[in-house]
Amino acid sequence: MNKIKKIITDFGLFFKGATDFKGRAYEMLESERKIEMDNFILICFSDQLGMPLPTSYYTLELLPYLVDEIQDWDKRMGNRKSVWEERWSNYDLDP
Amino acid sequence: MAKIIFYGGKGGVGKTTCSTANSISYAEQGLKTLLVSTDPAHSISDVLGMKIGKKIIKLRENLDGLEIDPEYEAELYVNKIRENMKTILSNVIVEEINSQLDAAMVSPGTHESALFDKISDIIIDKFDEYDIIIFDTAPTGHTLRIFTLPNLLEGWMGSLAKKRRTIVDMNKMVTRENDKKDPVLEILEKRQKRFGEIKKIFNDNDNVRIRFVLNAERLPIEETKKAIKMLSQFNIPVDTLVINRIMPDDIGLDFWEKKKAQEIEYLQDIENEFKGKEFIKIPMLDVDINKSTVDRLSKFFND
């Protein structure tokens, strides 16, 4: 019985994915990726924002490899309209 | 297996003298010894009357010496980053990043991080080359930090590597690039591994010892008590105390007259060397200086 249920669920997912064509799934992944990247860059280079960490010296050598990603980060931080909307819009928080 | 000995103690108790004398003794026993100074004051050069620098030099038979200059090490590191940048990025961006790197050089943690990095390098790279490595460290507080850093940094680097791995996986899902190795992740994992190596060496009680130097006086004793208590929280045994400058048992007038004569010479040296400056001379008291006796000294400051 469970096996049949699983096959039906898998079929459903297959069609969902096959018809999604860079739609919501891609957007969700991108947004998640940007959030992870923002946190990562913040920790690596917090020293330059005035917040030194024990690892600041050691993350300096990552700088040359992360230049593109830092530029994107910079743009995102500049265009930020609402942090709340970015991070919490997916959750229904109203009581 | 190398034994690693850290010499700690309050300033002025004779740490440098003792660590140097200790290293000479090991060398004379036939043990290949490396004496490393991490104290910015670099007094080992003064004690031995030899110019000890940033490259390991032979001091005596079986004894090599080295002074760590954290500023120099930090510059080396940052310059390597600059060189690396030129091969990856355009000139315009290199200029921008150069000013960021200059700022990073004067950041508060840089000195300590560069020092710890060099100490780690020496321990890991020279472990098999020497029988004993002695570190003459700067006064107490600084010594304690060295022992908390391996755990702390391995943890931090591990977290960063984990975050980066997540990002790399996400990148693969979005752009489907499966073959390129991420250089950032490689660097993070290499660092994590290195901190793990140091942590392992420090955690092995047979490898690392701390020797505290103190004088038979109140303040050094208090300082040593505090330091041992703090280090015990990190499972670091201080098994040997070096009590320096103990007066001879049968102390007679002869001893003190010689001491006084030498002191008179040095007082004259001071007056010659620092001509034109004001001198405030404070006598040595025959009692400990504490809250009841410190008033006796205040009258000498009549400026």
Side-chain angles (χ1 to χ4, degrees):
Chain A
M1 192 60 225
N2 278 329
K3 228 183 165 198
I4 296 178
K5 262 195 172 176
K6 187 170 187 313
I7 292 176
I8 292 176
T9 317
D10 284 350
F11 252 121
L13 286 173
F14 168 73
F15 277 112
K16 202 171 176 194
T19 57
D20 196 57
F21 293 123
K22 299 235 165 179
R24 261 189 67 241
Y26 180 81
E27 272 169 26
M28 283 169 69
L29 190 57
E30 260 301 290
S31 140
E32 189 69 31
R33 190 189 76 95
K34 283 177 185 160
I35 290 175
E36 283 292 332
M37 185 63 84
D38 288 351
N39 293 341
F40 179 75
I41 289 179
L42 183 63
I43 298 177
C44 283
F45 305 112
S46 64
D47 189 37
Q48 287 160 24
L49 296 169
M51 191 171 63
L53 293 177
T55 48
S56 294
Y57 181 77
Y58 307 105
T59 51
L60 265 186
E61 63 181 337
L62 302 175
L63 200 51
Y65 303 99
L66 290 175
V67 165
D68 291 332
E69 304 181 6
I70 293 176
Q71 286 179 333
D72 288 343
W73 177 88
D74 215 32
K75 278 206 203 95
R76 280 201 293 279
M77 293 303 122
N79 285 336
R80 194 159 236 196
K81 294 195 177 69
S82 163
V83 178
W84 190 268
E85 191 197 314
E86 255 178 54
R87 300 290 169 113
W88 298 97
S89 58
N90 289 332
Y91 304 93
D92 184 14
L93 294 172
D94 292 322
Chain B
M1 277 284 263
K3 273 204 286 179
I4 300 166
I5 301 180
F6 283 89
Y7 258 85
K10 194 169 155 52
V13 293
K15 243 182 323 89
T16 304
T17 321
C18 290
S19 60
T20 309
N22 201 171
S23 66
I24 292 176
S25 142
Y26 284 137
E28 283 173 357
Q29 289 173 45
L31 297 163
K32 194 147 187 271
T33 312
L34 177 63
L35 177 62
V36 184
S37 165
T38 67
D39 188 344
H42 289 318
S43 334
I44 297 185
S45 291
D46 293 336
V47 168
L48 288 176
M50 298 177 72
K51 187 75 188 68
I52 304 178
K54 304 170 185 97
K55 295 251 171 352
I56 295 183
I57 67 164
K58 179 171 174 172
L59 301 174
R60 298 188 180 190
E61 192 61 41
N62 280 329
L63 180 60
D64 291 342
L66 175 70
E67 280 182 351
I68 300 181
D69 183 350
E71 259 72 49
Y72 172 75
E73 299 298 328
E75 232 184 273
L76 222 57
Y77 173 66
V78 168
N79 283 341
K80 219 164 64 171
I81 301 177
R82 285 191 229 266
E83 280 311 305
N84 206 10
M85 269 203 304
K86 292 192 192 145
T87 65
I88 309 176
L89 307 168
S90 76
N91 279 342
V92 177
I93 303 184
V94 166
E95 273 318 302
E96 271 184 47
I97 299 189
N98 263 330
S99 51
Q100 280 184 322
L101 291 176
D102 289 335
M105 282 279 285
V106 296
S107 172
T110 301
H111 181 102
E112 180 184 87
S113 298
L115 176 60
F116 177 71
D117 226 13
K118 184 69 181 171
I119 291 178
S120 303
D121 284 350
I122 293 173
I123 291 179
I124 294 177
D125 296 338
K126 305 289 173 194
F127 198 75
D128 295 318
E129 210 180 300
Y130 290 95
D131 296 317
I132 299 200
I133 305 177
I134 297 185
F135 286 94
D136 177 28
T137 68
T140 322
H142 170 98
T143 316
L144 299 177
R145 276 291 278 176
I146 294 181
F147 295 102
T148 63
L149 284 177
N151 267 333
L152 185 74
L153 289 172
E154 198 209 14
W156 272 90
M157 277 311 182
S159 296
L160 272 175
K162 188 159 158 235
K163 275 198 174 305
R164 185 64 187 179
R165 220 168 288 131
T166 310
I167 293 174
V168 167
D169 289 341
M170 281 190 199
N171 280 342
K172 283 191 192 157
M173 281 194 259
V174 173
T175 65
R176 305 192 197 287
E177 269 174 10
N178 271 325
D179 48 348
K180 277 201 285 200
K181 273 203 131 243
D182 182 42
V184 174
L185 185 57
E186 269 184 38
I187 295 176
L188 287 174
E189 285 178 338
K190 205 166 86 177
R191 277 282 182 195
Q192 182 190 8
K193 188 158 157 259
R194 198 143 173 98
F195 290 138
E197 279 177 45
I198 273 285
K199 185 177 102 172
K200 210 166 122 223
I201 294 179
F202 276 17
N203 281 345
D204 185 342
N205 284 339
D206 287 333
N207 283 337
V208 183
R209 292 275 185 274
I210 301 181
R211 291 201 168 167
F212 250 82
V213 183
L214 67 159
N215 301 144
E217 285 170 24
R218 193 174 65 91
L219 289 176
I221 293 174
E222 292 303 313
E223 177 98 4
T224 307
K225 269 163 54 181
K226 279 188 234 158
I228 292 181
K229 186 152 165 256
M230 234 182 278
L231 285 169
S232 69
Q233 294 173 350
F234 301 114
N235 277 336
I236 299 171
V238 180
D239 58 356
T240 308
L241 296 179
V242 179
I243 312 172
N244 194 23
R245 296 201 197 109
I246 300 178
M247 294 183 265
D249 284 332
D250 53 347
I251 198 165
L253 204 52
D254 217 19
F255 179 81
W256 288 117
E257 285 183 343
K258 282 208 192 99
K259 285 292 243 181
K260 183 63 186 175
Q262 192 172 57
E263 190 184 79
I264 293 179
E265 267 181 46
Y266 280 128
L267 280 172
Q268 190 58 57
D269 274 350
I270 293 178
E271 296 195 7
N272 294 339
E273 182 73 42
F274 304 108
K275 259 199 178 64
K277 300 218 189 287
E278 264 211 55
F279 296 115
I280 302 178
K281 295 191 180 167
I282 316 286
M284 188 192 282
L285 298 186
D286 56 2
V287 289
D288 253 357
I289 309 294
N290 53 34
K291 61 180 187 286
S292 6
T293 55
V294 68
D295 293 341
R296 290 202 217 172
L297 294 180
S298 51
K299 65 174 186 275
F300 295 94
F301 289 91
N302 52 5
D303 62 339

